[in-house]
Amino acid sequence: VNSKGVGIVSRSKAGDIALSLAAFVRGVKAVVWINRCSANAGLPLYYKNRQLLPALMFDRKKLFSTDSGLVISKYAMHDPLKTEGRDSLVPIERACGSFLFVASEDDLNWDSKAYMENMVERLTSNGKENFESVCYPGAGHFLEPPYGPFCSSSLNAFAEMPVLWGGEPQAHAAAEVHLWRKIQEFLRTHLRCEAAQTKPKF
């Protein structure tokens, strides 16, 4: 937070909420989007009793169950680029702030890399340069602050089923270390405070 606006760090479902805030709310200066969809997924988006975006839904028939009973949902969402899904795309072209898009290539929960590439293409085609993107081979869905335990699977509370998140431990851990620095650099660049603001007042 600084005097000119706020920054948002988001992962998974929070990702499309953060995109929507950047598109529809003034004062959002920087958004870190980690492993999510480029559309409003799961639930319609409302503001003051008015629907802003419909929900992009998922197809349970496209859920893949492994021999261990864990579910892979990477390709279960309807395609937001097809006619029936386009209305759910978050209009990030309207945003005045900057984006850091982060995608793990081994994300088994979302096709995050494809969604990220779509957003980069949309912004570029609209003459926008307010974004950075980074992709991590071998990393899974749960990119968190570094040096925590690696989580390859767990219960998905939203889907109410045990799921595989993906990722190879060493590559995933290296991605978390790199991303943690990248996020700090990005936020400092776009939310830099004046020297006078950083001095504590007692």
Side-chain angles (χ1 to χ4, degrees):
V1 177
N2 71 5
S3 60
K4 297 178 181 178
V6 299
I8 304 171
V9 180
S10 62
R11 185 192 65 199
S12 199
K13 175 57 186 173
D16 51 81
I17 295 173
L19 294 178
S20 297
L21 285 169
F24 295 115
V25 179
R26 292 182 181 179
V28 177
K29 305 298 288 184
V31 169
V32 180
W33 173 98
I34 305 171
N35 291 333
R36 181 54 178 175
C37 186
S38 53
N40 178 60
L43 297 166
L45 179 68
Y46 285 89
Y47 180 69
K48 293 185 177 179
N49 297 319
R50 182 170 69 92
Q51 181 176 300
L52 299 180
L53 296 170
L56 183 72
M57 302 307 292
F58 72 96
D59 186 351
R60 286 190 173 270
K61 295 177 182 177
K62 293 183 179 180
L63 295 173
F64 175 75
S65 185
T66 64
D67 292 339
S68 62
L70 296 170
V71 172
I72 295 174
S73 60
K74 183 168 186 170
Y75 302 110
M77 294 302 298
H78 290 287
D79 188 348
L81 300 183
K82 290 187 176 178
T83 303
E84 61 272 20
R86 281 191 176 273
D87 287 346
S88 65
L89 283 170
V90 181
I92 54 174
E93 304 86 357
R94 297 173 46 169
C96 295
S98 298
F99 297 100
L100 172 60
F101 300 128
V102 181
S104 296
E105 290 190 9
D106 195 37
D107 184 351
L108 298 181
N109 193 59
W110 298 96
D111 193 3
S112 299
K113 185 179 179 184
Y115 296 136
M116 180 182 76
E117 289 171 346
N118 166 251
M119 291 190 291
V120 167
E121 182 181 341
R122 280 196 287 141
L123 288 173
T124 302
S125 65
N126 279 273
K128 296 274 192 170
E129 297 180 348
N130 58 336
F131 65 89
E132 300 175 52
S133 63
V134 60
C135 197
Y136 293 110
H141 180 69
F142 266 132
L143 283 177
E144 298 184 305
Y147 311 118
F150 172 63
C151 179
S152 62
S153 64
S154 68
L155 179 69
N156 184 322
F158 183 78
E160 298 182 333
M161 60 182 70
V163 301
L164 271 175
W165 301 116
E168 187 278 319
Q170 186 172 353
H172 188 92
E176 289 182 334
V177 171
H178 181 271
L179 177 59
W180 185 241
R181 295 178 185 140
K182 185 75 176 171
I183 290 172
Q184 292 177 75
E185 291 170 3
F186 176 77
L187 294 178
R188 286 192 188 106
T189 297
H190 297 287
L191 291 171
R192 185 175 298 278
C193 294
E194 299 298 330
Q197 291 179 278
T198 61
K199 294 179 180 179
K201 296 179 180 179
F202 294 102

